Amino acid sequence: MLPRAVETQNPLAGHKRLVIKIGSALLVDDKSGKLRTEWLAALASDIAALKAEGRDVVIVSSGAIALGRRILGLAGKVLPLDQSQAAASAGQIALSQAWASHLGQHGITTGQILLTPNITEERRYFLNARTTVNTLLGLGAVPIINENDSVATFEIRYGDNDRLSARVATMIEADMLVLLSDIDGLYTAPPAQNPDAVHIPLVAEITPQIEAMAGGAASHLSRGGMTTKLGAGKIAASAGTAMIIALGTGLSPLQSLTAGGRHTLFAPATNATAARKRWIMGTLEVTGQITIDDGAVRALKSGRSLLPIGVVKLRGDFVRGDVVAVRDLADREIARGLVGLDRDAADLVIGKKSETIKDMLGPSTRTELVHRDNLVLLGQ
């Protein structure tokens, strides 16, 4: 039995933090290798409209290699690794300039972030990247994210920006991931091969039956097809992020989507907060313990971060990004979280005020020992 139909009205309604993935085949003309400037200008208007509604928008944009191969005169459809990295290096400059120019026409500032898998897979790098993205969003900017293809190898890479976009969405706790594609969603079979394929508007869970419906990549500019999109859906859903696959080939694809354009919605398995709690509580090893005073306990229960001034004892050899148990004066574990300082730095600042810490470690130092976004209270 196919999933039930979903409401055709704005599927982005109620979603405040969006990650939008743009594939190479949408940004770059397949034959000429040139940027589709009219399409990008229309998309920039769509993004500006979302920003005007008070939404956070993060863009995961392919296109560096596709642009770079033309800039460097590389004609082969399949490039060896050294030429692929060179094309990414040249093309990334053109790509970032294009985004900055088109969004800048709407008064929107952009920030470029290039990622490699260790950044979203290893906790200490994960926290730095997450803070950078959140800071840019807090300042009203639109982060433009891509894989760092100029240094990535075939063996150590995300491999496609579908997976990367899902990792980014979970990293920043986005509530919606939009994959703009050359198809308007998932079908019971690849429609180009099977004219009887039926569109599926809603996927409540990605089962083996759903995975069997996927096909391969449609263009030499693309690394992913429906299979990689379903993989992204698994990552997103498990962390509480909804995902949409929507047609992106026409002008103003986000406007078309919000007007009720056909798409497939992948429902999140649970809410993002619950998923993050499970991740911290169930999948990460506790490497240290922090004992705090009664005032700090009250602060945590009121939703605040754990500051060093309320800490009375540290145990364990931990580094920034490790999971630590937080205990009260009766040695009861009351919380767990991702610690924001290495043990050596934490030893220097326990019991001290934030102003003193900045004087000791520098004005750019983050003074929370465990930020509230990375803290799970037991029993809640």
Side-chain angles (χ1 to χ4, degrees):
M1 179 181 295
L2 294 177
R4 63 176 176 81
V6 294
E7 186 67 36
T8 58
Q9 295 306 308
N10 185 0
L12 301 185
H15 296 282
K16 298 295 292 182
R17 176 166 287 191
L18 312 175
V19 174
I20 301 167
K21 181 262 178 177
I22 315 295
S24 294
L26 298 180
L27 267 174
V28 182
D29 182 80
D30 194 356
K31 295 181 179 179
S32 68
K34 295 181 179 180
L35 192 73
R36 297 178 63 206
T37 54
E38 183 182 8
W39 181 89
L40 183 54
L43 179 66
S45 296
D46 287 356
I47 294 169
L50 293 174
K51 291 281 292 175
E53 295 172 353
R55 305 175 198 261
D56 291 337
V57 178
V58 175
I59 301 297
V60 175
S61 175
S62 304
I65 294 176
L67 290 173
R69 64 166 65 230
R70 177 178 179 275
I71 293 170
L72 297 176
L74 301 173
K77 286 190 174 183
V78 179
L79 300 179
L81 178 59
D82 57 343
Q83 291 186 6
S84 178
Q85 291 175 326
S89 178
Q92 191 61 47
I93 296 174
L95 182 65
S96 61
Q97 288 175 339
W99 278 111
S101 173
H102 283 84
L103 287 174
Q105 293 179 26
H106 300 275
I108 297 173
T109 300
T110 59
Q112 176 181 269
I113 302 174
L114 300 178
L115 298 179
T116 48
N118 65 303
I119 293 175
T120 58
E121 307 299 330
E122 297 181 27
R123 295 189 299 277
R124 66 194 72 179
Y125 300 120
F126 168 97
L127 289 177
N128 280 328
R130 183 170 182 262
T131 298
T132 300
V133 175
N134 283 335
T135 301
L136 285 168
L137 292 174
L139 294 170
V142 171
I144 308 296
I145 298 175
N146 194 5
E147 182 163 12
N148 194 353
D149 286 314
S150 63
V151 298
T153 66
F154 290 139
E155 295 80 14
I156 307 174
R157 69 185 313 154
Y158 293 98
D160 63 85
N161 273 358
D162 293 326
R163 180 185 172 203
L164 171 60
S165 64
R167 291 296 187 194
V168 169
T170 61
M171 179 177 73
I172 65 169
E173 298 182 53
D175 49 11
M176 176 61 76
L177 167 63
V178 179
L179 304 183
L180 292 180
S181 179
D182 56 2
I183 191 170
D184 57 4
L186 178 67
Y187 285 74
T188 53
Q193 303 171 19
N194 186 345
D196 296 323
V198 177
H199 181 267
I200 301 176
L202 173 66
V203 175
E205 181 183 2
I206 299 176
T207 63
Q209 179 188 12
I210 292 293
E211 291 182 284
M213 300 174 184
S219 165
H220 77 275
L221 295 180
S222 305
R223 293 200 192 110
M226 190 57 68
T227 298
T228 68
K229 289 172 176 53
L230 294 184
K234 282 185 172 181
I235 294 169
S238 66
T241 301
M243 188 181 85
I244 283 174
I245 299 175
L247 187 65
T249 52
L251 297 181
S252 302
L254 295 176
Q255 183 182 30
S256 297
L257 178 62
T258 58
R262 178 183 272 192
H263 61 279
T264 297
L265 171 65
F266 295 79
T270 184
N271 66 76
T273 301
R276 185 165 179 77
K277 285 184 177 181
R278 286 202 312 273
W279 180 62
I280 292 175
M281 293 297 298
T283 63
L284 299 178
E285 180 183 359
V286 176
T287 59
Q289 297 182 24
I290 300 175
T291 301
I292 62 176
D293 61 25
D294 293 340
V297 171
R298 290 192 295 271
L300 296 190
K301 290 183 176 179
S302 68
R304 298 178 184 175
S305 299
L306 175 57
L307 300 179
I309 193 171
V311 176
V312 298
K313 185 192 297 184
L314 299 172
R315 284 177 284 181
D317 184 18
F318 52 80
V319 296
R320 183 173 185 267
D322 282 348
V323 174
V324 293
V326 181
R327 296 182 175 273
D328 62 15
L329 293 175
D331 205 31
R332 295 172 298 207
E333 185 177 358
I334 63 167
R336 288 188 188 178
L338 306 181
V339 69
L341 296 172
D342 294 345
R343 173 63 193 267
D344 290 345
D347 282 330
L348 294 175
V349 302
I350 61 172
K352 294 181 171 61
K353 295 181 178 180
S354 297
E355 296 79 6
T356 303
I357 295 170
K358 288 185 176 292
D359 289 339
M360 295 172 57
L361 302 180
S364 62
T365 301
R366 302 175 190 125
T367 57
E368 304 92 351
L369 193 53
V370 181
H371 193 278
R372 64 184 180 183
D373 290 343
N374 299 318
L375 186 76
V376 179
L377 291 175
L378 271 62
Q380 296 191 14

